Amino acid sequence: PAARFVGVTQTSADTVVKSLKTRGFPAYTVAPAANSGGLFTVRVGIYRDRADAEAVQGRLNDDKFKPYIIKQ
């Protein structure tokens, strides 16, 4: 599982990733899919199990982000 954010522009995605990395999160961007309208996705980590992903999701919620968990 990984935490994922809704699509954003590349500039916004880069800003969010930089902010998350300074907080110690393993954040990265994912290039737009063909049907995404050119929007990038920000992801945080790949976690061993859902419990680990949910713990990180809670920390991100505390930081006023609104992530959701996806299965990769």
Side-chain angles (χ1 to χ4, degrees), residues 22-45:
T22 63
R23 292 180 171 102
F25 293 102
Y28 60 98
T29 59
V30 177
N35 62 349
S36 72
L39 297 178
F40 285 73
T41 300
V42 175
R43 291 188 182 171
V44 176

Side-chain angles (χ1 to χ4, degrees), residues 9-64:
T9 65
Q10 184 173 9
T11 301
S12 295
D14 291 344
T15 300
V16 170
V17 167
K18 183 177 179 181
S19 174
L20 289 167
K21 284 185 173 187
T22 63
R23 292 180 171 102
F25 293 102
Y28 60 98
T29 59
V30 177
N35 62 349
S36 72
L39 297 178
F40 285 73
T41 300
V42 175
R43 291 188 182 171
V44 176
I46 294 179
Y47 296 95
R48 179 176 41 150
D49 56 38
R50 187 164 186 91
D52 289 345
E54 287 174 349
V56 171
Q57 182 183 33
R59 288 177 48 212
L60 290 166
N61 284 330
D62 291 346
D63 283 347
K64 307 299 183 220

